[in-house]
Amino acid sequence: MQTGPVDNEIINKVLQGEQALYAQLVKRYQNYVFTIVLRYTTNREDAEEIAQDVFVKAYRSLADFRGESKFSTWLYTIVTTTCITFLRKKKVPVHSLDTEQVFELADNQNSAFRANQVEQKSKIQVINEALRLLSIDDARIITLFYQAEQSLEEIGRILGVDPNTAKVKLHRARVRLKEKMEKHFTEEVKDMVG
Amino acid sequence: MNKPENIEERLWEYLDGAGSAEERLFIEQLIASNAVWRAKYQELLELQDLLSHRLELDEPSMRFTQNIMESISKHHIAPAAKTYINKRIIWGIFGFFICTIIAFLVAAFAQIHWTGASNTDNSLVNLNKINLDKVDTSSLFNSTYTTIFMMVNVVLGLVALDMYLRRQKAEGRGQREKAEGSGQ
C-alpha cells in the first residue's frame, strides 16, 4: 500500500511546517477514504465533501496522532465519526446491526436489481451490488477488512469495540453478503461456484 | 459441528489465518476428506478472492487533493490535546469533590449516636437500630462552618478559572503573533 517515505516520516515533517507534504498522505489514502465514505452515502458529491472534511480534520488534529496505531487506522476512525455526524445532520437514519427492517429497506430501495437479473453481471458487479444492498454496518466492516486492509484489532479500534466483537460482526456481515448474492443474483452465483 | 453455519464460521476463520495450528490442521484434513467441507471451502475461497483482490477502490474527482490543500492552507495544526489539558486543573476538581464528599460524610457521622441502643453485644444488630430520622440535617446545611467551607471552595474555584482563562488568552495571543510572523 505504501511507496516512498513512510507515513510517520511525512507526518513529522508536516508537523515541522512542511505543509505541502500532506498532499502525499492525501494521495495515498484518498481512494480508501472515499470508498469507505461511499458505504455511508451513495451520493458521490456528498461523499467527496465528507472525504475532504476528513482530511482537513486529520490535518488539524495531526499533533494528536501519537503513532500508537497505523496512520490509516487513525484516519479511518475520523472517517467513521465524520460520516456519523454527517448522517445525523442530514437526518438519514443510521441503521444498527441485526435489524430486519434494514434488509427490508435495502430490498425496497434496490428492487430494480431483481428486474435486472436476466442480465448477466460480472463477478465484481455482483459483489459491488450486493455490498450496496447491505446495511451500513455490514458494508463498512467488509470494506475495512478487505479493501482498507485493516486487521480485526484495528477494526475494533476504529469502531470502538473489542477485536472479538469485530470478528463476530465481520462473520455476520459476510454471511449476509452471501445471502444477498444468493437471493438477488442466483444465476451469477451459480456460475461463480460452478 | 457439521451444521452449515458452523462449517462456514470455521472455514472463514481458516481463510482469515486465525485459529491454532492444531485447529488449522484439523480443518485442512476435513477439507481433504469431506466433500461437503471441500465444496463449501471452494465457494468461500472464491468469495474471499473476489473481496480481497478484485474489488476496486472508488476514486474521487481529479481536483480532490488540490481542494484539500487549498482548504488546509487556511488552517493551522491544532496543538496536541495533552499540551492544553492541564492535569493540575483536573486533579484540583477531583480533590475539590473528594474534600466536599468527605466533609459531608464526617459531619453526618458526627451526629449519629453510635452507643444509643447498645443493649446487646452484637454491634451489627445495633447498626440496624440507628434511627436516621433523628439525624439533624438542618445543622449540617445551615452551620457557619459549612457556609465558610463552601465559600472558600467557590473562591478557590474562581481563582483557578481565572488563571486558566488568562493562560488560554496568553497562548492564543502568542500563536497569533507566531502565525503573523511566519506569514510575513
Side-chain angles (χ1 to χ4, degrees):
Chain A
M1 192 157 82
Q2 275 184 24
T3 50
V6 290
D7 294 344
N8 287 0
E9 284 174 22
I10 299 174
I11 290 163
N12 284 336
K13 286 181 181 168
V14 174
L15 287 171
Q16 283 160 19
E18 293 184 53
Q19 195 186 55
L21 285 178
Y22 190 66
Q24 283 188 33
L25 287 176
V26 176
K27 279 179 190 151
R28 193 172 280 172
Y29 291 106
Q30 63 182 21
N31 292 356
Y32 293 96
V33 169
F34 190 60
T35 304
I36 299 169
V37 174
L38 276 171
R39 300 292 173 230
Y40 288 85
T41 171
T42 46
N43 185 319
R44 288 183 73 89
E45 282 176 16
D46 282 346
E48 200 153 319
E49 195 186 316
I50 299 167
Q52 280 182 22
D53 194 23
V54 166
F55 280 106
V56 173
K57 274 185 188 169
Y59 174 77
R60 282 183 54 76
S61 319
L62 210 54
D64 278 325
F65 174 66
R66 294 188 292 270
E68 287 165 358
S69 63
K70 287 196 291 191
F71 173 71
S72 58
T73 307
W74 182 74
L75 186 67
Y76 302 151
T77 312
I78 300 177
V79 174
T80 308
T81 49
T82 310
C83 286
I84 290 169
T85 310
F86 169 82
L87 293 181
R88 278 195 193 131
K89 269 187 197 161
K90 279 227 159 186
K91 296 198 174 148
V92 177
V94 184
H95 304 296
S96 63
L97 202 69
D98 296 331
T99 48
E100 277 305 309
Q101 295 98 315
V102 174
F103 306 114
E104 282 170 26
L105 188 76
D107 287 347
N108 294 338
Q109 282 173 347
N110 296 279
S111 55
F113 284 129
R114 287 181 194 215
N116 287 339
Q117 275 194 357
V118 266
E119 182 197 333
Q120 284 289 305
K121 294 179 194 323
S122 75
K123 291 172 181 178
I124 300 299
Q125 269 179 305
V126 169
I127 297 265
N128 271 326
E129 288 178 9
L131 271 171
R132 270 180 225 126
L133 289 170
L134 287 177
S135 69
I136 291 171
D137 283 349
D138 287 347
R140 176 182 60 182
I141 201 162
I142 286 175
T143 306
L144 284 170
F145 189 73
Y146 288 107
Q147 292 184 277
E149 295 166 1
Q150 298 291 297
S151 68
L152 289 171
E153 285 78 17
E154 288 162 345
I155 291 174
R157 199 174 280 193
I158 293 166
L159 304 182
V161 295
D162 67 271
N164 270 334
T165 311
K167 185 177 149 186
V168 173
K169 279 174 178 259
L170 177 67
H171 176 67
R172 286 182 188 166
R174 285 190 292 215
V175 169
R176 287 188 188 119
L177 177 72
K178 235 170 109 284
E179 280 170 7
K180 289 285 166 205
M181 289 168 66
E182 283 162 2
K183 188 174 172 187
H184 296 278
F185 311 100
T186 321
E187 290 305 311
E188 290 85 348
V189 172
K190 267 185 205 163
D191 286 350
M192 266 187 215
V193 181
Chain B
M1 190 187 80
N2 275 333
K3 278 183 184 173
E5 58 268 35
N6 284 347
I7 297 177
E8 251 185 54
E9 193 172 349
R10 294 179 75 181
L11 281 172
W12 275 124
E13 269 198 36
Y14 176 75
L15 286 166
D16 290 343
S20 63
E22 271 180 22
E23 169 78 6
R24 294 182 62 75
L25 188 70
F26 182 63
I27 301 284
E28 271 167 32
Q29 284 167 352
L30 279 169
I31 293 166
S33 61
N34 188 316
V36 178
W37 278 72
R38 196 162 45 246
K40 203 64 168 171
Y41 173 70
Q42 288 301 331
E43 190 186 326
L44 299 187
L45 190 65
E46 172 83 7
L47 184 56
Q48 163 104 338
D49 179 54
L50 282 168
L51 288 167
S52 307
H53 307 298
R54 292 198 252 161
L55 267 186
E56 285 177 6
L57 294 164
D58 288 279
E59 284 180 33
S61 67
M62 301 284 278
R63 266 193 62 85
F64 187 78
T65 310
Q66 209 176 327
N67 288 343
I68 290 167
M69 295 313 285
E70 280 169 15
S71 293
I72 64 165
S73 65
K74 298 170 203 154
H75 296 282
H76 293 287
I77 298 173
K82 64 179 176 188
T83 61
Y84 60 80
I85 295 175
N86 191 336
K87 280 190 178 169
R88 276 186 297 177
I89 291 178
I90 295 177
W91 280 109
I93 294 167
F94 176 74
F96 167 76
F97 280 109
I98 292 292
C99 285
T100 312
I101 291 166
I102 290 171
F104 277 115
L105 285 175
V106 167
F109 279 105
Q111 289 182 51
I112 298 171
H113 300 291
W114 296 95
T115 53
S118 58
N119 290 332
T120 167
D121 290 338
N122 192 340
S123 56
L124 279 174
V125 175
N126 284 343
L127 275 177
N128 292 331
K129 291 179 181 172
I130 294 169
N131 192 349
L132 288 174
D133 294 338
K134 287 182 182 171
V135 175
D136 184 11
T137 51
S138 63
S139 66
L140 184 67
F141 291 102
N142 297 331
S143 80
T144 317
Y145 295 115
T146 311
T147 313
I148 292 168
F149 177 75
M150 293 305 288
M151 284 304 292
V152 168
N153 274 311
V154 168
V155 170
L156 284 174
L158 287 171
V159 169
L161 182 69
D162 180 59
M163 281 165 64
Y164 174 74
L165 291 174
R166 275 171 196 269
R167 199 177 307 129
Q168 287 287 94
K169 199 177 168 185
E171 274 175 17
R173 198 183 302 137
Q175 273 180 359
R176 263 200 308 279
E177 282 167 7
K178 199 176 159 188
E180 280 165 12
S182 62
Q184 282 167 0

